[in-house]
Amino acid sequence: MSKFPLAGITVADFTWIGAGSYTTKILADFGADVIKIESTERIDTLRDAKPFQGGIRGLNRSGYFADRNSSKRSVTLNLKSEEGRKLAREIIAKSDVVANNFTPGTMEKFGLGYEAVREFKKDLVYISMSMHGQTGPESKYLGYGLTMGAVTGLHHLCGRPELDPAGTGTNFPDHVPNPAHSAFAILAALRHRRRTGVGQFIDVAQIEPTIALLGPAVLNYTANGVVAGRVGNQHITAAPHGVYPTRGEDRWIAISAPTEAAWSALTKVLEHPALGQDARFRTSVGRWEHREALDALLSTITAGHDAEPLAMQLQHSGVAAAPVHDAADVLRDPQLQARGHWVYLEHPEMGRTVYNALPFRMSRTPGYPNRPAPLLGEHTDEVLKSMLGLKPNEIEALRSQGALQ
């Protein structure tokens, strides 16, 4: 662990569900000691989220929770009790970072808001990741990835133009923009602290990193007054660009040929006379203007091919193409396996389980999941002994008082 770039950094992690947990997973996989503060009375709802290992429901059996909480330690505290809050303050006093993604005011109710804890931990980096941030008329609104996608305009852009907004199929803000921006902010604040000795408060409004995904749509309106709409799989300026059926049940291929060179290569691989002879498709402008007819023709051609070999043949010819993979395909993808993306760890209850590695490789200071996701409260005694110096009889007394639950 000493070789990991964040070794020596301790995080008091009050986050739960998606974006917050993924943010602190990044830190944990890079070697930070992330102590997840949980409660048996108010369970992280991700612990009760499918899929469950072996199809057996349990608070320690969620694959979703496991992947978002690799490399962490779990401590259960009753923050409604004074003793539980006292222990939380003691853990914070020994930490470098505090993270939460609650609605503004929640941490303050427990006496654990930034202004309260900085009184005894001046150099603390404290990040709050609420939906709308700490200020503004909607700061107290409750939000999840679904509502963030809606209010930022992301859902308005997702789906087919003739149908209702489809969303992203998952809470996309939880998985990419918010954890990535938040982890970056924490690292920047830690660097500032190293240089100056001064900590700071980081206020992340999760709608704002999500809006960063929508640059072209925002610019199209500010520059041209045009409100962008849904285009499905099509490209706004080029064709062909879409997903087409292939041989087999629910098997598809994605193809994008926006340039003349790519179009020429595509026609040679598919060897269908209409692609080269139809006057509508001779120019890039014509292909885009008649993209619906082109997509219909391509669909009839690709339906007679297998997705994997066709994609490989197109790639070798200079055409961007890929089979549409399902989860089973992704797990056995040779490229991901060659890069060591999938990490298998032995979980105390689920056994050998798979985790996502960090989505980049650092040559000198690598990071990767270094322990499986924790059982609920698995490390309570360990943390109280090693971090706070409590004796076994003191821990049992706290447990009997209801402080450790």
Side-chain angles (χ1 to χ4, degrees):
M1 290 291 291
S2 63
K3 296 179 181 179
F4 284 61
L6 294 183
I9 297 296
T10 300
V11 180
D13 180 13
F14 293 85
T15 67
W16 66 338
I17 313 180
S21 294
Y22 200 2
T23 298
T24 51
K25 164 196 166 69
I26 295 171
L27 306 179
D29 286 352
F30 266 128
D33 183 12
V34 176
I35 300 169
K36 187 174 180 68
I37 310 297
E38 300 193 77
S39 168
T40 58
E41 299 298 313
R42 187 75 182 273
I43 300 293
D44 183 342
T45 54
L46 210 58
R47 280 192 176 274
D48 196 33
K50 296 179 180 179
F52 298 108
Q53 174 72 5
I56 302 171
R57 186 173 183 175
L59 296 180
N60 297 313
R61 302 186 66 83
S62 167
Y64 197 170
F65 175 89
D67 191 62
R68 291 296 180 264
N69 290 279
S70 59
S71 310
K72 302 180 185 179
R73 298 196 285 175
S74 171
V75 170
T76 50
L77 298 180
N78 179 9
L79 296 181
K80 293 182 179 180
S81 73
E82 177 51 40
E83 284 300 321
R85 292 191 294 271
K86 180 175 180 291
L87 290 171
R89 289 192 292 270
E90 291 178 2
I91 290 173
I92 289 172
K94 300 278 189 178
S95 299
D96 303 284
V97 178
V98 169
N100 82 87
N101 60 333
F102 299 131
T103 302
T106 302
M107 291 290 279
E108 284 74 12
K109 285 194 304 184
F110 298 122
L112 302 175
Y114 178 63
E115 294 302 328
V117 300
R118 72 189 296 262
E119 290 297 317
F120 59 84
K121 184 67 174 176
K122 299 290 186 184
D123 64 346
L124 190 68
V125 172
Y126 191 112
I127 185 168
S128 178
M129 303 169 57
S130 61
M131 177 176 176
H132 287 287
Q134 300 295 303
T135 59
E138 298 177 357
S139 61
K140 297 297 178 69
Y141 280 20
L142 178 66
Y144 298 97
L146 174 71
T147 48
M148 291 172 205
V151 76
T152 58
L154 179 61
H155 283 177
H156 176 75
L157 296 172
C158 294
R160 295 181 62 84
E162 71 275 15
L163 300 176
D164 296 338
T168 55
T170 184
N171 294 331
F172 195 77
D174 287 348
H175 308 311
V176 180
N178 288 317
H181 283 78
S182 298
F184 179 86
I186 291 170
L187 294 176
L190 285 172
R191 184 176 186 273
H192 176 264
R193 188 188 71 162
R194 188 181 68 201
R195 297 172 63 199
T196 66
V198 179
Q200 59 185 303
F201 179 74
I202 304 169
D203 178 14
V204 174
Q206 290 197 42
I207 58 170
E208 292 172 13
T210 306
I211 290 173
L213 298 169
L214 309 178
V218 172
L219 288 171
N220 201 12
Y221 179 75
T222 56
N224 305 316
V226 175
V227 176
R230 294 178 292 283
V231 296
N233 292 317
Q234 295 180 349
H235 194 279
I236 61 173
T237 61
H241 182 97
V243 173
Y244 307 95
T246 58
R247 188 180 291 133
E249 183 178 356
D250 199 26
R251 306 303 287 180
W252 306 79
I253 187 172
I255 299 174
S256 179
T259 67
E260 292 299 335
W263 171 252
S264 177
L266 177 65
T267 60
K268 290 177 181 177
V269 170
L270 295 181
E271 295 182 328
H272 194 285
L275 291 176
Q277 296 174 5
D278 194 316
R280 295 175 297 175
F281 307 146
R282 287 177 183 168
T283 67
S284 59
V285 173
R287 291 191 291 275
W288 191 81
E289 289 178 343
H290 300 283
R291 57 193 178 279
E292 291 184 2
L294 177 56
D295 283 345
L297 176 59
L298 284 174
S299 294
T300 63
I301 300 170
T302 59
H305 292 262
D306 292 317
E308 296 277 352
L310 177 58
M312 185 176 298
Q313 189 177 4
L314 288 170
Q315 282 284 357
H316 289 165
S317 299
V319 180
V324 177
H325 280 168
D326 58 23
D329 298 322
V330 172
L331 276 167
R332 57 176 174 253
D333 182 273
Q335 176 68 15
L336 292 174
Q337 291 181 357
R339 286 179 55 80
H341 179 78
W342 302 117
V343 177
Y344 289 84
L345 299 171
E346 287 293 333
H347 186 273
E349 187 168 327
M350 293 189 286
R352 188 170 183 264
T353 50
V354 64
Y355 295 79
N356 280 286
L358 292 166
F360 44 85
R361 306 290 178 267
M362 297 174 66
S363 61
R364 296 183 61 186
T365 53
Y368 50 85
N370 47 78
R371 63 159 64 109
L375 304 177
L376 180 61
E378 178 182 355
H379 304 97
T380 301
D381 289 24
E382 175 183 299
V383 169
L384 297 184
K385 289 176 186 177
S386 64
M387 192 176 195
L388 305 186
L390 297 183
K391 296 180 174 57
N393 63 312
E394 294 174 312
I395 295 173
E396 286 308 311
L398 289 166
R399 186 167 279 114
S400 65
Q401 296 168 16
L404 308 179
Q405 64 180 31

